[in-house]
Amino acid sequence: MNGDGTLRTARAIVWARRRAAMASFWRMYRAQRGGMFGLGLLLIITLITLLAPYYTDESELRASNAPGGRMEPPSSEFWFGTDQTGRSILLMVIWGARVSLQVGIVAAVLAVTMGTLIGMSAAHFGGWISWVLMRLTDWFIVLPSLVLAIALVMALGPSRTTIIIAIALTSWAGTARLVRAQTMAIEGRPYLERAKALGAGHWHQMSRHVLPNLMPLVLASATLQVSSAILSEASLSFLGLGDPSRFSWGTILQRAFLSGAISSGAWWYMLPPGLAILLVVLAFTLCGRAMETVLNPRLRGGK
């Protein structure tokens, strides 16, 4: 067999193993009732959010186009009632989900990516590089993340991009610690020692051997990180540091608080965005815990 045929055969074997691994993962994941509930909930929320432009009118979010009266309670026309300008709270929650989910997912991906790169580098290179990276990680761990995020947003100015950067910069350290410990365990395995003996460079070792074995941990960490990022975004927006040009769940809560919804008894203004945050965080947490159980033999009862 020529070289091209051997390469194609090797790739076919690799992809066959990957497909088998994915099928095995999905089979074990389906056995996790909590994970399936969370996944179903996420799919429903995602569809409602992505299809919002096709069944709602975003122009009604402008105060000048508000279709209802001031602080109307839930009714057949406005299922979640209206705010102080007559806008539908249901419409605000649906469109706010687009911002909250976008910020949460992008910030979590950036944080996990930073943590993975720093943790891998610290474990792989060791020496003074590891010392510097771990001291930096310790510094971010001991700092109050919300306070640091507030300082960053106030310094850079409130916007969606700023919030994403602030959340990512304040939440990568925990992932870095986990990845460093797992990388050190992986690099002690025989196949990596053989790769080093055969002359594999740093990039080959990390990209072909270390990172694929880290991916289960990284994916589970990313899923759980989204919940934390959504809560952080809601906290910053509630404090008045969100994007002033767009609705998010935290922004809705902040406007409800400033409009006196609590003192006036307008519970329908506060409850829907709060429940939306709760449901999304619960869904991501259930998915993350299920993935963790599937990928960790000890958690699923393996020896």
Side-chain angles (χ1 to χ4, degrees):
M1 183 177 292
N2 57 31
D4 291 342
T6 303
L7 183 60
R8 284 195 296 268
T9 302
R11 288 178 177 175
I13 293 173
V14 169
W15 281 108
R17 289 177 177 175
R18 289 177 180 175
R19 286 193 296 269
M22 290 299 297
S24 176
F25 170 82
W26 176 241
R27 184 173 61 255
M28 289 186 288
Y29 187 91
R30 285 185 301 176
Q32 304 293 323
R33 294 183 179 179
M36 291 301 294
F37 175 79
L39 181 61
L41 190 58
L42 280 180
L43 290 176
I44 293 172
I45 294 172
T46 301
L47 287 175
I48 291 174
T49 303
L50 293 178
L51 298 178
Y54 297 99
Y55 65 89
T56 63
D57 185 4
E58 188 181 10
S59 65
E60 292 183 3
L61 291 175
R62 293 195 290 268
S64 58
N65 295 335
R70 182 180 184 278
M71 291 287 194
E72 291 185 10
S75 62
S76 58
E77 183 178 3
F78 302 105
W79 293 359
F80 290 178
T82 62
D83 68 349
Q84 69 273 19
T85 61
R87 291 172 293 195
S88 170
I89 294 174
L90 175 59
L91 188 65
M92 293 162 62
V93 170
I94 291 173
W95 282 90
R98 298 170 71 89
V99 175
S100 294
L101 290 176
Q102 181 188 29
V103 171
I105 293 173
V106 175
V109 169
L110 289 177
V112 170
T113 301
M114 289 175 60
T116 301
L117 293 175
I118 291 174
M120 285 177 60
S121 300
H124 181 78
F125 293 105
W128 67 269
I129 295 177
S130 177
W131 187 89
V132 171
L133 292 177
M134 285 302 97
R135 297 299 74 75
L136 180 65
T137 301
D138 293 339
W139 187 72
F140 273 95
I141 286 177
V142 299
L143 281 176
S145 58
L146 182 59
V147 175
L148 181 57
I150 291 173
L152 288 172
V153 174
M154 291 183 67
L156 300 175
S159 69
R160 205 178 334 177
T161 303
T162 302
I163 290 177
I164 290 173
I165 294 173
I167 294 174
L169 287 176
T170 57
S171 56
W172 60 267
T175 301
R177 276 286 180 187
L178 291 173
V179 168
R180 177 179 177 269
Q182 187 66 15
T183 301
M184 293 177 69
I186 292 171
E187 294 207 342
R189 296 175 183 174
Y191 65 84
L192 198 56
E193 294 294 333
R194 288 196 296 269
K196 292 178 183 178
L198 292 172
H202 296 300
W203 174 253
H204 182 88
Q205 294 175 42
M206 296 174 72
S207 63
R208 296 295 183 89
H209 299 289
V210 177
L211 186 58
N213 287 283
L214 284 175
M215 285 309 296
L217 174 67
V218 170
L219 290 175
S221 178
T223 307
L224 295 173
Q225 193 71 47
V226 174
S227 302
S228 177
I230 290 175
L231 289 173
S232 297
E233 187 280 330
S235 301
L236 292 171
S237 297
F238 182 76
L239 294 173
L241 299 174
D243 186 350
S245 63
R246 299 297 298 272
F247 279 102
S248 73
W249 292 332
T251 303
I252 299 171
L253 289 172
Q254 187 233 7
R255 296 188 182 193
F257 179 77
L258 294 178
S259 66
I262 297 177
S263 59
S264 62
W267 55 267
W268 58 87
Y269 200 170
M270 302 284 290
L271 195 59
L275 287 177
I277 294 172
L278 176 64
L279 287 176
V280 170
V281 169
L282 175 64
F284 274 108
T285 302
L286 289 174
C287 290
R289 294 303 181 192
M291 290 177 63
E292 209 172 25
T293 301
V294 170
L295 298 171
N296 190 337
R298 294 180 181 177
L299 294 180
R300 65 170 185 263
K303 299 294 185 181

